[in-house]
Amino acid sequence: MTDADFMKRAIELSRTNMLSDAGGPFGAVIVKDGKIVGEGWNKVTSANDPTAHAEVEAIRDACKNLGTFELRGCVLYTSCEPCPMCLAATYWSRIEKIYYGNTRDDAAAVGFDDEFLYREIVKPMPERTVPIKPLLRDQALLVFREWTAKQDKVPY
């Protein structure tokens, strides 16, 4: 299969699941060694889960299918440019390349505008819309110290 074939599958997932009322018009596939190892589509409204974006669902599916928490050597094909959350999840999963169909401007034009998030992320914490305040750092740091000393940890 070609890059175009994998993108067509992502677009097909976006259309099929949007028409079946699973969620918004977004689909994604993850490929490793020329084979689809994970698929996902937007399930925000059907799962009552604001994190159930197509890319996150595809990452979860690929990790489950491969039995791993990282996706080195994998490629993401997504029907739309990833939002900030999905982009972060893609980086955390160690996916090595992203292909996308619609742009974030295309998404904004049909009601999925992430520009607020892009602007919010770069603001200093005191200027963000949702207040972010430190609390009990000394107690939280104890757990980090325990993690550092833990001999059998699995680093990621």
Side-chain angles (χ1 to χ4, degrees), residues 16 22 25 95 132:
T16 301
I95 285 173
I132 302 175

Side-chain angles (χ1 to χ4, degrees), residues 132-145:
I132 302 175
K133 306 215 179 265
L135 183 64
L136 299 178
R137 180 174 178 239
D138 55 339
Q139 291 179 32
L141 277 172
L142 292 175
V143 179
F144 274 6
R145 287 188 191 111

Side-chain angles (χ1 to χ4, degrees), residues 93-112:
S93 70
R94 309 299 194 263
I95 285 173
E96 295 183 3
K97 186 183 275 189
I98 301 169
Y99 290 98
Y100 64 91
N102 293 310
T103 68
R104 72 193 218 195
D105 293 331
D106 298 331
V110 296
F112 298 97

Side-chain angles (χ1 to χ4, degrees), residues 6-21:
F6 295 128
M7 182 58 77
K8 286 177 186 175
R9 177 63 182 154
I11 293 167
E12 177 186 332
L13 288 168
S14 74
R15 177 180 292 113
T16 301
N17 291 287
M18 181 259 313
L19 291 174
S20 69
D21 295 326

